[in-house]
């Protein structure tokens, strides 16, 4: 009689691990494409096309899309499938209200504990954002701006709130894609605002950083206007293909 062994065989564990890592990588790729506006709000995300592009099963793609739906970056509708989420005006205001409450509230703690190394890291992110805007690389500028805010929240030491800020920043990117300027002006944060925030934090001015963050986020929200657009069918091969 063969006795059952505790746990799965090493080969099975390795396959599961490889599968999880692959799904994580696909999740990151699609998330980045949404945040950087390479995938537009309302764009259809066909399981079969994504499965072919990434070389995985539709089951694996379905798991990734479900994760993105939980993060409110993707909407899944019966008989219609998945599409990039398109926030309503009310949702846009709610997201910015949440950011104001959370991010402004974290500034005092960040100012009291930020290190010289972390200040250098924020300076580097600001420079990267400035360079991306100068080169006309809006996707990188949007991604870097989001990374700046998320990293700033992490410096508070509160991992739960930092994760929440990260999700709010991702949703803000969708909001900017729907309601931001369609012209040549850069969308989202002004890089000089980030420079001023770093200066205030370097001076240990938590109250000043909190007020400046409030004005900063209100300014971004005030720049938005509602513009309805037609549903887009993205070219998944050009977005994710090698």
């Amino acid at each position: 009689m063969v006795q059952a062994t505790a746990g799965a065989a090493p080969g099975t564990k390795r396959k599961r691990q490889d599968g999880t890592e692959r799904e994580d990588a696909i999740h990151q790729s699609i998330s980045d494409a949404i945040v950087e506006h390479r995938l537009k709000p309302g764009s259809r995300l066909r399981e079969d096309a994504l499965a072919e592009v990434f070389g995985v099963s539709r089951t694996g793609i379905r798991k990734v899309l479900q994760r993105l739906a939980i993060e409110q970056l993707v909407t899944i509708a019966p008989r219609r499938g998945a599409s990039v989420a398109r926030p309503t005006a009310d949702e846009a205001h709610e997201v910015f209200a949440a950011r104001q409450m959370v991010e402004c509230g974290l500034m005092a703690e960040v100012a009291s504990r930020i290190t010289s190394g972390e200040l250098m890291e924020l300076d580097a992110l600001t420079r990267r954002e400035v360079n991306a805007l100068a080169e006309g690389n809006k996707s990188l500028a949007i991604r870097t701006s989001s990374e700046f805010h998320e990293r700033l929240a992490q410096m508070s030491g509160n991992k739960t709130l930092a994760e929440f800020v990260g999700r709010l920043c991702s949703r803000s990117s969708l909001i900017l894609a729907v309601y931001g300027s369609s012209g040549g002006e850069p969308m989202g944060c002004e890089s000089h605002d980030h420079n001023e925030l770093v200066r205030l934090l370097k001076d240990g001015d938590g109250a000043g950083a909190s007020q400046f963050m409030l004005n900063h986020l209100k300014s971004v929200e005030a720049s938005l206007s509602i513009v309805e657009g037609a549903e887009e069918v993205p070219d998944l091969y050009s977005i994710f293909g090698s």
Side-chain angles (χ1 to χ4, degrees):
M1 179 178 178
V2 179
Q3 294 183 346
T5 58
T12 303
K13 288 183 179 180
R14 182 59 188 171
K15 287 181 180 178
R16 289 177 180 171
Q17 182 179 358
D18 290 344
T20 299
E21 290 176 354
R22 182 62 176 148
E23 287 174 12
D24 287 344
I26 295 170
H27 171 275
Q28 190 64 54
S29 293
I30 298 176
S31 177
D32 286 348
I34 292 172
V35 169
E36 295 170 8
H37 298 177
R38 288 182 286 121
L39 278 173
K40 305 297 185 183
S43 297
R44 293 284 301 278
L45 299 173
R46 289 173 43 207
E47 289 181 6
D48 57 344
L50 286 169
E52 185 174 350
V53 167
F54 288 108
V56 296
S57 68
R58 290 184 63 173
T59 300
I61 291 297
R62 194 171 297 123
K63 290 179 181 178
V64 171
L65 293 175
Q66 288 169 346
R67 284 175 61 185
L68 291 166
I70 291 172
E71 295 166 6
Q72 296 181 293
L73 294 180
V74 164
T75 300
I76 300 177
R79 296 184 299 278
R80 184 172 175 79
S83 60
V84 178
R86 187 180 181 86
T88 65
D90 285 342
E91 288 170 341
H93 291 308
E94 288 175 2
V95 166
F96 275 97
R99 289 190 63 179
Q100 290 165 23
M101 286 186 283
V102 177
E103 292 190 70
C104 294
L106 291 175
M107 289 303 96
E109 186 64 24
V110 174
S112 70
R113 60 185 291 157
I114 196 165
T115 66
S116 58
E118 288 172 336
L119 285 167
M120 290 175 63
E121 185 179 350
L122 293 177
D123 275 331
L125 285 170
T126 301
R127 287 195 302 273
R128 189 195 307 168
E129 184 182 5
V130 170
N131 291 337
L133 288 171
E135 295 168 1
N137 190 340
K138 288 186 178 181
S139 293
L140 179 58
I142 291 166
R143 160 57 64 187
T144 306
S145 177
S146 180
E147 186 178 346
F148 177 93
H149 280 267
E150 185 174 0
R151 189 67 189 96
L152 193 57
Q154 290 170 351
M155 291 173 185
S156 71
N158 190 316
K159 295 180 180 179
T160 300
L161 287 178
E163 181 180 349
F164 184 46
V165 168
R167 292 194 178 190
L168 289 173
C169 287
S170 294
R171 293 187 69 195
S172 294
S173 179
L174 277 175
I175 291 164
L176 289 169
V178 176
Y179 302 115
S181 169
S182 59
E185 293 299 316
M187 293 184 292
C189 300
E190 295 287 350
S191 55
H192 58 75
D193 279 2
H194 288 168
N195 279 323
E196 180 62 15
L197 267 173
V198 174
R199 186 192 68 76
L200 290 166
L201 292 170
K202 184 177 181 179
D203 292 343
D205 186 358
S210 179
Q211 183 60 50
F212 192 88
M213 177 68 83
L214 178 62
N215 296 338
H216 173 60
L217 292 173
K218 283 186 174 181
S219 176
V220 174
E221 183 180 4
S223 71
L224 304 178
S225 60
I226 298 177
V227 178
E228 294 296 333
E231 179 183 277
E232 295 193 25
V233 180
D235 183 347
L236 298 176
Y237 288 98
S238 66
I239 292 173
F240 299 113
S242 56

